Amino acid sequence: MNQESRAVTTNQHGNHDDLVAVVMRHLRSPFRKPIQEHNREAFAQVQKLVADWQGPIILDSCCGVGESTAYIAEQNPNALVIGVDKSAHRLGRHAHYQNAEAGQRYILVRADLHDFWRLAVEAHWQLDQHYILYPNPWPKAAHLGRRWHGSPVWPYVLGLGGRLVMRSNWVTYLTEVASSLALVNCSASISPLLARHEPITPFERKYQRSGQQLWELHAQLPEDGRYFSAIEAE
């Protein structure tokens, strides 16, 4: 990965004009896309561990090489930490980024989150914490639907509950998430990450070396997920 990274450029001025309409449409309509069999099989393997686990569950979505997953496990030794990424190449590089002192209890899974999140809700997972760290934001206005909060799978993120932690080098991405959460009466806080903050992903390290300002969002999602109708309608 190159050491330098250009700052995000966008043709948006603040939150997307269609944000509220898009989010509300997805909250009111279940995601009907068929789940791919390989994602179902990957989830089934994880579900065996979760079913036997009595402690807190932490999900590290879009975990990439799993550096953040190992770090989160080190910081939360009483939790089962699950890192999910769709790229076999990124997951295959995990050993290079793994902290020798980390890894008390975590696993890495190859799966598409559009399916994995839905299967987790179907299995009645309730997360203790949920990390979504970089790099998605798809900053062009035409790409709102590719951002997590603008996609049909967003209600399932909400349904998993837990403390949501998101990081980005594009603050508008996080202000849109905060506005999306406000639509379901959930408040979120956004704060800058200091330059001396210890990076926990390769992207975070790359952005820091490029002198970019990084941001973090925190929100506590209700445990029962009853504030939206999409999943109940299925």
Side-chain angles (χ1 to χ4, degrees), residues 43 47 50 57 118-127 159-160:
F43 180 81
Q47 177 60 17
V50 171
I57 300 171
R118 286 188 287 163
L119 289 167
V121 169
E122 183 180 295
H124 304 292
W125 284 20
Q126 282 294 296
L127 302 178
L160 288 170

Side-chain angles (χ1 to χ4, degrees), residues 35-56:
I35 292 175
Q36 295 180 305
E37 189 58 32
H38 69 273
N39 291 323
R40 194 179 295 277
E41 292 173 358
F43 180 81
Q45 295 300 313
V46 180
Q47 177 60 17
K48 291 178 182 178
L49 297 175
V50 171
D52 293 334
W53 176 248
Q54 301 301 316

Side-chain angles (χ1 to χ4, degrees), residues 34-138:
I35 292 175
Q36 295 180 305
E37 189 58 32
H38 69 273
N39 291 323
R40 194 179 295 277
E41 292 173 358
F43 180 81
Q45 295 300 313
V46 180
Q47 177 60 17
K48 291 178 182 178
L49 297 175
V50 171
D52 293 334
W53 176 248
Q54 301 301 316
I57 300 171
I58 301 175
L59 187 59
D60 184 17
S61 294
C62 307
C63 69
V65 299
E67 179 181 7
S68 54
T69 313
Y71 172 83
I72 294 166
E74 185 179 31
Q75 299 299 308
N76 298 271
N78 297 321
L80 172 61
V81 183
I82 303 167
V84 182
D85 199 273
K86 66 180 180 180
S87 170
H89 174 69
R90 287 191 289 265
L91 292 172
R93 297 167 57 204
H94 175 62
H96 177 72
Y97 290 93
Q98 182 179 357
N99 186 319
E101 299 177 357
Q104 280 81 358
R105 192 180 289 105
Y106 73 88
I107 58 171
L108 301 180
V109 185
R110 183 190 178 192
D112 188 320
L113 285 159
H114 289 88
D115 289 353
F116 194 93
W117 284 336
R118 286 188 287 163
L119 289 167
V121 169
E122 183 180 295
H124 304 292
W125 284 20
Q126 282 294 296
L127 302 178
D128 183 71
Q129 300 175 57
H130 189 180
Y131 288 80
I132 306 177
L133 309 177
Y134 311 102
N136 175 341
W138 292 99

Side-chain angles (χ1 to χ4, degrees), residues 135-157:
N136 175 341
W138 292 99
K140 292 183 179 180
H143 293 159
L144 171 63
R146 300 186 185 184
R147 301 170 203 162
W148 288 126
H149 54 279
S151 77
V153 80
W154 181 244
Y156 298 84
V157 175

Side-chain angles (χ1 to χ4, degrees), residues 124-230:
H124 304 292
W125 284 20
Q126 282 294 296
L127 302 178
D128 183 71
Q129 300 175 57
H130 189 180
Y131 288 80
I132 306 177
L133 309 177
Y134 311 102
N136 175 341
W138 292 99
K140 292 183 179 180
H143 293 159
L144 171 63
R146 300 186 185 184
R147 301 170 203 162
W148 288 126
H149 54 279
S151 77
V153 80
W154 181 244
Y156 298 84
V157 175
L158 306 182
L160 288 170
R163 184 160 185 79
L164 179 65
V165 180
M166 301 179 70
R167 291 181 183 176
S168 181
N169 61 334
W170 187 39
V171 69
T172 299
Y173 173 62
L174 297 184
T175 61
E176 286 189 348
V177 170
S179 296
S180 300
L181 293 172
L183 294 174
V184 293
N185 299 316
C186 181
S187 62
S189 62
I190 300 172
S191 57
L193 290 176
L194 300 177
R196 64 176 180 271
H197 171 80
E198 185 67 26
I200 61 173
T201 82
F203 275 105
E204 189 165 69
R205 191 171 295 109
K206 178 181 178 181
Y207 297 151
Q208 280 190 344
R209 289 171 176 169
S210 301
Q212 296 185 37
Q213 176 62 64
L214 306 180
W215 304 87
E216 183 174 74
L217 175 145
H218 283 260
Q220 183 64 49
L221 304 180
E223 293 183 1
D224 60 7
R226 297 290 179 178
Y227 49 87
F228 69 102
S229 59

